[in-house]
């Protein structure tokens, strides 16, 4: 139970006790929470002929973790929309959402409301990730494409989620997304480079293999390699060297910077697609020159 809900429950019990009392003392202090409760207390005091007095004010609010707004900004830079789902009333939810910096919020949400929101987003073609720690979060965690349960949460939430965050940090989704995107980027970049690299090598190997029966294929020898033997040998050596050169990149991974998916795709196509076409031309030509100088062909 939240602090505000707990305090409201105390007020309710206090009011019930006063109503059950046979002779309530009009001079006794009355606990009031919020403007509506204060107005009711003032009205009751006037009926009893006593002047209402405010003895103090208790201000309660949920504490937003430091740096949470900056982390949500990082998610927004990745093109991810954040939605806060809470059981609090709309006014409280709006205040917390504004302070935390989320894009949208859903207040007074029941378990079925959370799951309905996720289904609605998925129906629109979006991938949905959900973090939660309570039993009422379990249906939504199970429905989400990625469900991250907090280690401090209930057993039901842990069983419903895809993974458990041992640090119980809701913003751990940032690391999950970054690692996932880096893995996809690394795989895509290496695949793009390999395909472009193979296309470029065809300009060296195909003319060398078929130039004797089909002299017209000599026009494809745009690298002007010395001979068919040097072309094939240079291509084989280059292929062996490029595999060794790509191993550190495969182990380290392509560096990820928060950006929309379209911008990342354009950048990787430019770097690894165009690079995969240009590097073989330069590398094979240099190896061809070296092989001729060393009289290996």
């Amino acid at each position: 139970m939240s602090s505000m809900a707990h305090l409201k429950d105390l007020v309710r019990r206090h009011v019930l006790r006063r109503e059950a009392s046979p002779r309530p003392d009009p001079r006794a202090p009355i606990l009031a929470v919020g403007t509506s409760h204060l107005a009711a207390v003032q009205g009751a005091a006037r009926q009893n002929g006593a002047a209402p007095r405010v003895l103090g004010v208790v201000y309660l609010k949920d504490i937003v973790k430091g740096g949470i707004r900056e982390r949500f900004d990082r998610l927004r830079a990745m093109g991810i929309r954040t939605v806060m789902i809470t059981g609090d009333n709309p006014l409280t939810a709006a205040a917390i959402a504004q302070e935390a910096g989320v894009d949208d919020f859903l207040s007074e949400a029941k378990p079925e409301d959370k799951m309905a929101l996720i289904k609605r987003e998925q129906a629109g073609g979006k991938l949905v990730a959900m973090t939660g720690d309570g039993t009422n979060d379990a249906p939504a965690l199970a429905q989400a494409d990625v469900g991250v349960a907090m280690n401090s949460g209930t057993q039901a939430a842990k069983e419903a989620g895809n993974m458990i965050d041992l640090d119980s940090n809701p913003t751990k989704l940032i690391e999950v997304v970054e690692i996932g995107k880096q893995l996809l980027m690394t795989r895509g970049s290496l695949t793009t480079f390999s395909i472009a690299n193979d296309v470029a090598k065809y300009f060296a190997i195909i003319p060398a293999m078929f130039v004797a029966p089909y002299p017209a294929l000599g026009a494809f020898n745009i690298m002007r390699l010395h001979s068919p033997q040097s072309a094939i040998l240079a291509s084989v050596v280059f292929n062996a060297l490029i595999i060794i050169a790509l191993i550190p990149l495969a182990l380290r991974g392509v560096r990820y910077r928060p950006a929309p998916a379209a911008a990342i795709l354009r950048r990787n196509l430019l770097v690894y697609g165009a690079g995969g076409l240009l590097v073989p031309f330069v590398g094979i030509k240099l190896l061809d020159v070296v092989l001729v100088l060393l009289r290996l062909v």
Side-chain angles (χ1 to χ4, degrees):
M1 183 181 294
S2 65
S3 56
M4 181 61 72
H6 180 64
L7 187 54
K8 287 182 178 179
D9 184 62
L10 291 177
V11 173
R12 182 182 60 81
R13 295 179 184 179
H14 176 75
V15 172
L16 291 177
R17 284 197 301 267
R18 284 183 55 84
E19 291 176 349
S21 176
R23 288 186 177 181
D25 184 0
R27 296 170 298 176
I30 301 177
L31 176 64
V33 180
T35 56
S36 60
H37 293 92
L38 183 59
V41 170
Q42 289 174 341
R46 292 191 185 94
Q47 290 178 1
N48 294 327
R53 288 189 306 140
V54 179
L55 301 181
V57 177
V58 179
Y59 176 66
L60 299 176
K61 69 182 292 289
D62 292 326
I63 301 300
V64 177
K65 292 183 179 180
I68 192 73
R69 176 178 285 272
E70 289 74 16
R71 294 180 72 82
F72 283 140
D73 288 340
R74 287 175 59 189
L75 283 172
R76 196 173 295 110
M78 298 177 192
I80 298 174
R81 175 171 164 264
T82 56
V83 180
M84 182 185 74
I85 306 177
T86 177
D88 289 331
N89 63 73
L91 292 177
T92 302
I96 297 299
Q98 182 178 9
E99 184 177 356
V102 297
D103 298 310
D104 199 359
F105 68 90
L106 177 64
S107 61
E108 298 180 341
K110 298 184 287 295
E112 54 269 26
D113 298 329
K114 300 177 183 181
M115 192 163 59
L117 175 62
I118 293 176
K119 287 182 177 180
R120 190 162 59 249
E121 295 292 338
Q122 290 173 332
K126 298 178 181 177
L127 292 176
V128 180
M130 165 80 180
T131 62
D133 59 358
T135 302
N136 59 347
D137 294 324
L141 287 170
Q143 178 64 39
D145 298 291
V146 178
V148 182
M150 301 296 101
N151 190 42
S152 59
T154 62
Q155 187 63 28
K158 295 178 183 179
E159 292 179 358
N162 303 108
M163 59 185 73
I164 299 174
D165 177 21
L166 298 180
D167 297 329
S168 296
N169 183 2
T171 60
K172 186 62 70 68
L173 274 177
I174 294 178
E175 282 73 21
V176 173
V177 172
E178 287 182 345
I179 293 174
K181 283 182 175 289
Q182 186 179 34
L183 290 174
L184 289 175
M185 286 172 51
T186 301
R187 185 179 66 180
S189 299
L190 292 176
T191 302
T192 302
F193 183 88
S194 297
I195 293 174
N197 179 62
D198 290 339
V199 171
K201 285 188 293 186
Y202 292 152
F203 284 94
I205 297 177
I206 291 179
M209 293 176 60
F210 300 105
V211 70
Y214 303 102
L217 289 177
F220 288 97
N221 186 17
I222 58 178
M223 288 183 275
R224 293 294 181 263
L225 301 178
H226 179 264
S227 64
Q229 294 81 3
S230 67
I232 294 176
L233 184 57
S235 299
V236 172
V237 173
F238 174 81
N239 192 61
L241 293 177
I242 203 65
I243 291 176
I244 297 174
L246 290 177
I247 290 177
L249 178 63
L251 294 176
R252 184 180 66 253
V254 176
R255 184 179 178 183
Y256 172 74
R257 298 181 181 87
I264 295 175
L265 179 61
R266 286 195 301 269
R267 177 182 176 275
N268 288 345
L269 285 177
L270 178 63
V271 173
Y272 297 98
L277 287 173
L278 295 177
V279 170
F281 282 96
V282 177
I284 291 174
K285 179 61 178 179
L286 289 176
L287 287 172
D288 180 77
V289 173
V290 171
L291 291 173
V292 172
L293 291 177
L294 295 178
R295 299 181 182 276
L296 296 178
V297 291

